[in-house]
Amino acid sequence: MLRRLVHIAILALLVPACTVNPVTGKSQLDLMGEAQELEMGRQLYPRYTQSSLGEVPDDGLQTYVDRVGLRLAAVSHRPEIPWEYNAVNDPDVNAYALPGGKISITRGLLSRMETEDELAAVLGHETGHVTARHAAQHYTRAMLTQLALVGGMAYMEIQDVRYRNLYALGGMIGAQLVLARYSRDQERQSDHLGLEYMTAAGYNPEGMVDLLEILDGEHRREPGLVDRMFGSHPLTRERIEDARARVAALPEEDRARPPVRKPFLQHAAHVRETREAYDRLAQARRLLADEQPEKALPLLRQSSDEWPSDGLLRAFLAAVEADRQPRRALTDAARAARDAPKIFVVQVVAARVFLEDRRYDEALRHAETAGEILPDMADVELLRGMALEGLGRYQDAAWAFRRVREIAPDSEAAREAERHLQALSGA
Ligand SMILES: [Zn+2]
């Protein structure tokens, strides 16, 4: 009884809202009202995008992915919310939806598809998670509690301050916070909604079956690449059979629509061309997470040599070189930062490599660029403070260190900032 009361008290604290589910038309008790849902999506999207290694630097592709997504959103149960769709650099096979209609598909998945219909199937499935408000039902308690505890949504911390952990970048921005595992029922419902939306938007429904087959095939061939997608969207044989049966029951004229192949292959050309290089990056990241940088290094070097103007590949190379060949790391980090000015992690790597070499001007510049991409990141403020300290700008440095404590109290970064503040006040 007491436990129940406490439970209710916590719920009350989090302002529960009763909302009508847009798909079922039934009212449900959500901890998150629609305004909150939209705000959460708006706040989290840039951070998730950067924790997925930033947007693929290809405006044509971004516009294309967004356009396909918006066609689905327009025929969905919630056409009025501010939908956004993008393609991110993550080399793993994945796609995810944030509350409020912010959806991302990874480069790893895009590079394995061949038609716009398959793309519409993935985006339609993710759109279904949003229209059915799975997130609102699912994550709210855990998320809102976390957010309440840390005093606001701006709080997301890069988990690892140290060099060697930078390699993995897995939990860099706390992405695991929202991407919980959906239930089987939610997955099935999203498959149904996805199929409904893509068919209504004029695509060939067979694209859904093709997509699920691609995922299943990849899973057999190389489980590691698909694991994260399967973590949040478990794929079973049953899901594939279910999709097949539903598609077969659709009108013949829907299934007879010609698949949209050419525009897809055109827009995805670069992503497909660089697929092997990015598969190596995926493999290298797993090796780095497993603390095997010596095995990751040749893979990263090969990819970077193949695509010399790809700043992201070069930044990973620089990060691994830093402990071994610091001169090369400097050259590579500088070049990567120039070639990928909008990717957060690239700027952070550059700031660290230059800081290590006591080149404070450059370190400061890259930390500031990182701060423009994602403001209020504790570890970036820490880097900025250290660069300022190195430049002898002690007051500015102290201000940055105090900011670290504000953004992320109780973090490793805050403790590090505290040490610097004490040293500064003793000086
Ligand atoms: Zn799903």
Side-chain angles (χ1 to χ4, degrees), residues 61-71 83-86:
L61 177 68
Q62 296 298 344
T63 309
Y64 176 69
V65 167
D66 194 46
R67 197 169 62 220
V68 172
L70 293 177
R71 271 177 74 173
W83 294 92
E84 270 183 83
Y85 298 79
N86 73 6

Side-chain angles (χ1 to χ4, degrees), residues 96-415:
Y96 55 84
L98 298 182
K102 309 294 185 199
I103 289 167
S104 298
I105 178 168
T106 66
R107 185 168 189 140
L109 178 49
L110 265 173
S111 65
R112 283 169 170 73
M113 302 190 305
E114 290 183 349
T115 69
E116 193 171 308
D117 308 78
E118 289 159 6
L119 173 60
V122 181
L123 300 182
H125 173 95
E126 298 302 331
T127 300
H129 280 306
V130 176
T131 55
R133 301 195 90 229
H134 291 160
Q137 293 170 34
H138 218 81
Y139 313 129
T140 44
R141 191 163 317 151
M143 279 210 72
L144 294 181
T145 306
Q146 288 246 21
L147 293 170
L149 282 176
V150 297
M153 291 196 185
Y155 177 89
M156 287 274 164
E157 185 188 1
I158 309 173
Q159 292 191 331
D160 301 313
V161 190
R162 312 230 167 283
Y163 253 126
R164 55 191 191 84
N165 291 329
L166 177 73
Y167 300 150
L169 298 168
M172 183 175 82
I173 307 173
Q176 68 282 11
L177 204 66
V178 176
L179 298 182
R181 195 185 169 96
Y182 294 110
S183 72
R184 279 178 154 215
D185 284 345
Q186 290 178 327
E187 277 311 290
R188 194 175 304 120
Q189 189 181 23
S190 287
D191 281 347
H192 297 173
L193 290 169
L195 189 62
E196 182 186 328
Y197 301 156
M198 71 183 290
T199 310
Y203 290 104
N204 185 326
E206 302 276 3
M208 179 63 87
V209 178
D210 295 343
L211 166 77
L212 295 174
E213 291 288 2
I214 291 173
L215 292 175
D216 193 47
E218 286 299 322
H219 189 52
R220 280 164 216 274
R221 215 174 52 85
E222 202 175 342
L225 269 178
V226 190
D227 273 352
R228 284 201 301 144
M229 174 139 202
F230 281 46
S232 53
H233 309 270
L235 177 72
T236 55
R237 226 31 241 183
E238 178 211 334
R239 252 179 89 190
I240 302 179
E241 294 317 319
D242 180 62
R244 206 186 289 285
R246 282 184 169 254
V247 170
L250 288 170
E252 172 62 34
E253 73 247 35
D254 290 349
R255 286 178 289 137
R257 288 169 184 161
V260 185
R261 196 175 295 273
K262 215 170 156 191
F264 179 85
L265 291 177
Q266 227 166 2
H267 284 102
H270 183 68
V271 157
R272 287 167 56 86
E273 234 173 26
T274 51
R275 172 172 146 183
E276 274 181 38
Y278 270 81
D279 282 356
R280 263 181 243 117
L281 173 61
Q283 211 184 329
R285 286 177 85 194
R286 284 195 291 279
L287 287 165
L288 293 169
D290 207 28
E291 312 238 358
Q292 302 191 59
E294 67 294 337
K295 287 188 184 161
L297 188 60
L299 295 173
L300 292 168
R301 186 156 286 146
Q302 189 186 349
S303 289
S304 187
D305 286 349
E306 264 176 40
W307 300 98
S309 60
D310 189 307
L312 182 60
L313 294 173
R314 195 174 292 280
F316 272 88
L317 177 61
V320 183
E321 282 170 341
D323 294 338
R324 295 163 184 75
Q325 299 152 295
R327 303 317 307 168
R328 273 182 93 149
L330 279 171
T331 317
D332 280 324
R335 186 164 170 197
R338 194 194 59 208
D339 290 341
K342 292 180 186 165
I343 301 179
F344 178 78
V345 68
V346 174
Q347 301 299 326
V348 172
V349 166
R352 285 184 180 169
V353 169
F354 280 106
L355 193 64
E356 195 85 341
D357 201 52
R358 298 166 184 269
R359 291 182 42 189
Y360 301 116
D361 265 321
E362 285 100 328
L364 180 62
R365 193 156 51 80
H366 294 301
E368 283 178 345
T369 307
E372 282 158 25
I373 298 170
L374 284 184
D376 295 327
M377 300 294 286
D379 289 303
V380 172
E381 278 303 301
L382 181 62
L383 288 171
R384 215 169 61 80
M386 286 158 73
L388 287 164
E389 191 180 358
L391 289 168
R393 292 167 57 184
Y394 299 125
Q395 263 189 327
D396 293 336
W399 198 89
F401 292 135
R402 280 194 288 269
R403 187 81 192 106
V404 176
R405 288 190 312 199
E406 271 169 38
I407 301 170
D410 289 331
S411 64
E412 182 52 45
R415 283 184 283 279

